[in-house]
Amino acid sequence: MTSDATARLRLGPEVVRLLLPHGPPLSMVDRVESFTAAREPTLRASRFVSANEEVFAGHFDGLKIWPGIYTIEGMGQSCQLLVVIEAIRERCLERGADPERPLEPLVNLERGFRLEPDYRAEEGRATLEELARMPRVMGLSTGVDVRFLRPVFPGTRVDYVVTRTHEVQGVMRFAVEAIVDGAPVARGTMSARSFVGELPRVGRER
């Protein structure tokens, strides 16, 4: 059973950038809104589309439209985040983490970036050191089948919902959806080869 604490996992851009290899201007995820560990794990993430994005200088003059390939990239990065967070959760459980709060190292790190008083600095430093030693995890896309339903304009937040549905012979399959103001703007499936590189090891040995 997934705990409420896990389902409510919320991570800001500072922690997200520690978990993904992508940097500006190709960072397509700002926040993790929730993570649900289940037989088909699900991640909800988001990206705010600013009117000042560089791509709008040429896409298009007089009518700024967020490129569809950026929406696909955002869903893909969300899938990668799902795999990385799921791996961190499993490693923490292997090390004896509280089953009700297996992602506490990431939660605590987020507290630190938000200057919250209950941040545990020593544990946060240990988590940062482990993430710094972690090889950047990359994924190899093997298939994208996405239908665009409506355009995305600047000044909106794109919400991503991705679910890992199954894995066959090292290929992971995800159901993906992008949503703006409660309405889907893109929906489909994505497939990727198992992520190369060492998966994250976060959480102290006990």
Side-chain angles (χ1 to χ4, degrees), residues 29 31-33 43-47 78 81 158-161:
V29 177
R31 296 186 54 82
V32 168
E33 305 294 343
L43 180 98
R44 294 175 180 269
S46 63
R47 166 66 145 83
S78 297
L81 269 171
V158 182
D159 293 305
Y160 308 114
V161 181

Side-chain angles (χ1 to χ4, degrees), residues 9-11 15 101 103-127:
L9 178 70
R10 304 192 106 183
L11 304 175
V15 178
R101 306 178 70 182
L103 291 170
E104 181 59 24
L106 294 182
V107 174
N108 180 61
L109 200 57
E110 176 67 13
R111 293 191 194 105
F113 282 114
R114 296 179 67 85
L115 302 179
E116 295 182 2
D118 54 348
Y119 169 61
R120 297 184 299 279
E122 183 178 349
E123 294 178 23
R125 284 193 295 270
T127 301

